Amino acid sequence: MKRLIQISASAILIVQFACIEKMAFPDNINKNVDFTAGDTTYLAISPVWDASYGFVTPTEISIAQDGRIFIADSAGNAIVVLSQGGDIVTGFDSLKNLTSEEDSLIYPIDVDVDKKMNVFFIDGSNRVYRWNQLWDHIGIQSVASTGTFINSTTGDSFQAVSGSDDWFDVINDEEWEPYEFTWTTSQNVKDSLTSPHIFYDGSNLTHSYKDTYYASEKSIFTGLSATDDESNFIYVLDGFHQRMIRIDYEKTHFIKLLTGDSVWVHRGVFGHTAISSGSGAGTIDDPTGIDVDSDGNIYFAQHGESFPVHKIRPVSANAWMIYPSVFQPGSNDIMDLWDTTLIVNASSVDTFLTRFNKPYDVAVDQNQFVYVANTGSKELQVYNSSGMFFLKAGVESMIIDTSYWVVSGNDSSLVDTFYVKESHEDLINPKAITVDNRGMIYVCDPAQGSIFRYQLSNQLDEDLEPID
């Protein structure tokens, strides 16, 4: 193509020539080699997990420690469990047709699993629900009804009835050690624990009494994440108060499983507000998605006017926890407000595009690579552990090689440049994202009632087939 453009009052003319080439794939996509952004790409994997898997609107997705995949299907009123190969896993019927303790339907919008096999989920209210896979699959033999405790400092002994104020005081006080228990086989108690039930309720003063600066009953939870370790807390995004809170575990019941093993049951209580509202690095502004890596770093996405993706690090400061921002504007690509991609067109030499467009979710892998569901642009973006841009997925890219003459008076020069043109055809509404230990990306697209998968071209397993 040939184009003449006048771009200034000094009679500078541009004569432009361009050709288009698709990005080339490597010769052997199964080759296990080191890669950079220039020698590999993310390929869509077949088959797409669609309505044939029972999905209606898959809204969020999480991978448990054992590799099973938990999908919150909001309109489906269920949490669907799949293997990494896409097989529907049996034994999770309790997560279908979800209902609250008041017998109203639950429409889950997010789900995550901790190392105690607690499956946590939220429905956009001020509640966090919990179902425990271990108790359900093994079965509860009995529940402690009373307990005798000995004070490790004074040697005093004390007996408390399960569920009483004294009971909660001693079982959550490290100075009191359990000595012996009496047990009950009440079926009602066992059924209440093995069914999905409320873990944390912002309207329940017992759960939220420490939340002295906010009206917990008005909270609207938009995202949650458990930790990868044995920490006894989870993080929840509160869209009403524009904050992130930590919900701590507090012991409630002591149960004996059918295997003979005994474990504590916990409820959630307000811990503290980790991040408050704001527009700077490490602050909250319309939060939508959250994840935690193996080192305890927290990542979250939001729809506020600045810094859509953040990484913060919990730091103990005497009796307090503080959460400084790890990524900083000007140092990490992921914190840029603008993408400085060069565009050459008929009206200007360069146009700056926003890097993110309404990102709904963020995920992190075992190497601390960050994956962003850039929902508004119908794509996925991947950043390395330093927050520097690596690659996109869910898009087909073409390199346009452009040469043009710049003429100014009697002087002229040939400028050779190129830019990337993208086609977004796979995804319509990529709203949730996670990644497994193989680097496989899983993306929920509720608009298509489907889950799409992507993997680097040089890391494909032999049994996986890219979509043509």
Side-chain angles (χ1 to χ4, degrees):
M1 106 181 78
K2 182 176 181 180
R3 186 176 298 158
L4 265 64
I5 307 171
Q6 184 172 342
I7 61 173
S8 75
S10 59
I12 298 177
L13 299 180
I14 296 178
V15 181
Q16 179 178 300
F17 305 89
C19 61
I20 300 176
E21 295 181 0
K22 287 189 176 182
M23 286 186 174
F25 293 128
D27 294 333
N28 182 358
I29 62 175
N30 292 313
K31 193 177 184 181
N32 186 16
V33 295
D34 293 334
F35 58 86
T36 64
D39 61 19
T40 191
T41 189
Y42 281 101
L43 299 180
I45 303 302
S46 178
V48 173
W49 297 347
D50 54 18
S52 64
Y53 289 78
F55 298 130
V56 182
T57 57
T59 307
E60 255 294 351
I61 186 167
S62 179
I63 299 178
Q65 302 285 337
D66 61 6
R68 289 172 175 168
I69 302 169
F70 290 73
I71 300 103
D73 191 330
S74 183
N77 179 226
I79 293 171
V80 181
V81 184
L82 302 178
S83 70
Q84 289 182 336
D87 297 321
I88 296 176
V89 182
T90 59
F92 292 88
D93 289 345
S94 295
L95 297 178
K96 299 177 181 178
N97 302 313
L98 292 168
T99 56
S100 69
E101 294 168 20
E102 300 87 2
D103 291 326
S104 58
L105 297 179
I106 299 174
Y107 302 98
I109 64 169
D110 200 355
V111 60
D112 206 359
V113 186
D114 72 359
K115 294 195 76 170
K116 296 178 176 64
M117 301 177 76
N118 290 308
V119 180
F120 296 107
F121 54 98
I122 57 175
D123 62 352
S125 68
N126 59 3
R127 290 177 168 180
V128 177
Y129 297 90
R130 184 261 311 280
W131 175 80
N132 187 278
Q133 179 183 342
L134 181 69
W135 315 335
D136 181 87
H137 287 189
I138 293 178
I140 298 175
Q141 180 187 96
S142 54
V143 181
S145 56
T146 65
T148 301
F149 302 84
I150 297 177
N151 189 295
S152 58
T153 301
T154 65
D156 295 336
S157 63
F158 183 80
Q159 188 177 70
V161 177
S162 177
S164 67
D165 290 341
D166 289 338
W167 170 268
F168 290 119
D169 287 342
V170 295
I171 65 175
N172 290 289
D173 187 335
E174 293 182 357
E175 288 191 357
W176 290 94
E177 298 178 356
Y179 175 69
E180 64 179 359
F181 295 96
T182 60
W183 302 87
T184 177
T185 58
S186 168
Q187 193 61 43
N188 287 337
V189 176
K190 292 191 287 185
D191 288 346
S192 68
L193 293 175
T194 55
S195 302
H197 55 273
I198 296 171
F199 174 73
Y200 173 87
D201 186 350
S203 299
N204 186 328
L205 188 60
T206 302
H207 296 181
S208 61
Y209 72 97
K210 294 181 182 178
D211 195 7
T212 56
Y213 300 104
Y214 295 88
S216 290
E217 70 275 7
K218 294 183 179 180
S219 294
I220 298 175
F221 295 148
T222 58
L224 71 85
S225 182
T227 64
D228 275 351
D229 56 20
E230 297 289 350
S231 297
N232 287 322
F233 54 78
I234 61 174
Y235 295 102
V236 182
L237 300 174
D238 181 355
F240 181 85
H241 293 296
Q242 303 298 312
R243 61 175 178 163
M244 177 193 301
I245 68 174
R246 197 181 87 172
I247 295 177
D248 294 341
Y249 296 9
E250 184 178 82
K251 295 174 182 175
T252 57
H253 297 81
F254 195 52
I255 62 175
K256 186 179 295 184
L257 302 176
L258 290 177
T259 57
D261 298 318
S262 297
V263 295
W264 283 104
V265 177
H266 301 83
R267 68 185 176 193
V269 296
F270 178 85
H272 57 257
T273 295
I275 297 293
S276 301
S277 63
S279 58
T283 61
I284 291 284
D285 188 4
D286 195 9
T288 54
I290 182 173
D291 199 11
V292 180
D293 69 23
S294 57
D295 290 335
N297 299 302
I298 308 166
Y299 306 73
F300 61 93
Q302 57 184 18
H303 287 177
E305 293 185 358
S306 58
F307 308 124
V309 180
H310 296 249
K311 175 182 179 180
I312 57 176
R313 175 181 294 119
V315 177
S316 177
N318 297 321
W320 304 95
M321 293 295 297
I322 59 175
Y323 296 81
S325 180
V326 177
F327 293 150
Q328 298 294 334
S331 300
N332 309 101
D333 289 349
I334 203 168
M335 293 290 285
D336 289 348
L337 294 180
W338 306 99
D339 180 3
T340 55
T341 301
L342 178 64
I343 305 293
V344 180
N345 56 40
S347 60
S348 65
V349 173
D350 53 69
T351 300
F352 295 99
L353 306 176
T354 56
R355 185 176 290 279
F356 295 110
N357 183 7
K358 297 292 184 183
Y360 261 95
D361 199 18
V362 61
V364 59
D365 68 13
Q366 58 189 353
N367 298 313
Q368 297 188 6
F369 269 51
V370 185
Y371 302 76
V372 181
N374 195 27
T375 311
S377 294
K378 304 178 181 180
E379 67 182 17
L380 316 174
Q381 293 191 16
V382 184
Y383 294 79
N384 68 18
S385 59
S386 299
M388 308 308 288
F389 178 75
F390 173 58
L391 281 174
K392 289 186 178 183
V395 302
E396 184 176 355
S397 300
M398 294 175 289
I399 299 176
I400 300 181
D401 189 354
T402 302
S403 299
Y404 56 89
W405 285 94
V406 176
V407 181
S408 177
N410 295 325
D411 297 326
S412 63
S413 60
L414 180 65
V415 177
D416 188 19
T417 188
F418 57 87
Y419 66 97
V420 177
K421 181 177 177 60
E422 296 175 344
S423 174
H424 301 71
E425 297 181 355
D426 283 359
L427 304 171
I428 295 177
N429 186 34
K431 208 167 183 181
I433 188 170
T434 193
V435 59
D436 66 19
N437 56 10
R438 302 172 299 171
M440 177 79 74
I441 305 173
Y442 303 80
V443 186
C444 291
D445 191 329
Q448 301 185 69
S450 300
I451 294 174
F452 292 80
R453 297 175 296 156
Y454 299 90
Q455 192 164 30
L456 284 168
S457 57
N458 62 356
Q459 292 188 338
L460 284 179
D461 295 332
E462 292 182 359
D463 59 343
L464 296 176
E465 297 181 1
I467 296 175
D468 294 330

